[in-house]
Amino acid sequence: MIVPEIEASGQVTVDMGPPRFAPRDVPFLAGEAQLLYPLVVAGATIEVSVVSMGNPHAVQVVEDVDRAPVATQGPLIERHAAFPQRVNAGYMQLVARDHIKLRVWERGAGETLACGTGACAAVVAGIRRGLLANEVRVTTRGGDLTIRWPRGREAPGETNPDAPVMMTGDAVRVFDGEIDL
């Protein structure tokens, strides 16, 4: 059960639960858990971090998120044979240790303006690799989120794997509609 907490600022914080890295938990067809996996996509090898936030994510670091091949490579990663239940493909640009830009190709939906679990997966992947601080602003085309994942120890890449990922952002109405059934 997810229980949102309204902050004094009016933003909402949600405990997204702990991330999972074991390939069987994603699911991902690989041996033991690693920080990075090589993945061959359209004849090219890319490196991805694989994380489950209750749904599967493959996150790669890119130079420029605006020029990332989200629309062309995203569907190929989504349906890659190594992910038997398909996967969300995340493209993360490092801006600073406490700021990333992110685009996500979501399985079954295509590119979305924002993805909360994708933001959590990207930050967790960056923290595990020693690239990010434990609190990071994630800028998506739909707005910003703050993701926190406390470290278990101070050494880069060492984290408490059972610590929950905390996501904070604005809660705003984005759509009203009616449908006749």
Side-chain angles (χ1 to χ4, degrees), residues 48-158:
V48 296
S49 295
V50 177
V51 181
S52 174
M53 287 301 308
N55 58 349
H57 293 271
V59 180
Q60 64 180 296
V61 175
V62 296
E63 279 285 317
D64 181 352
V65 77
D66 293 322
R67 293 196 304 216
V70 179
T72 55
Q73 189 187 74
L76 300 176
I77 295 171
E78 173 191 0
R79 297 179 182 283
H80 195 282
F83 298 98
Q85 294 179 13
R86 299 188 298 172
V87 70
N88 299 314
Y91 297 82
M92 171 174 64
Q93 176 185 339
L94 303 171
V95 177
R97 284 191 54 79
D98 64 351
H99 184 205
I100 65 169
K101 292 183 179 180
L102 181 71
R103 290 173 65 191
V104 177
W105 178 273
E106 288 195 38
R107 65 181 178 162
E111 185 175 5
T112 58
L113 292 177
C115 177
T117 59
C120 293
V123 169
V124 163
I127 291 171
R128 287 186 79 220
R129 290 179 60 189
L131 303 172
L132 297 174
N134 68 332
E135 182 170 319
V136 178
R137 179 168 54 110
V138 179
T139 299
T140 68
R141 291 181 171 182
D144 286 3
L145 292 168
T146 299
I147 307 298
R148 291 187 317 279
W149 190 45
R151 292 179 170 205
R153 296 181 268 305
E154 288 304 309
E158 292 189 31

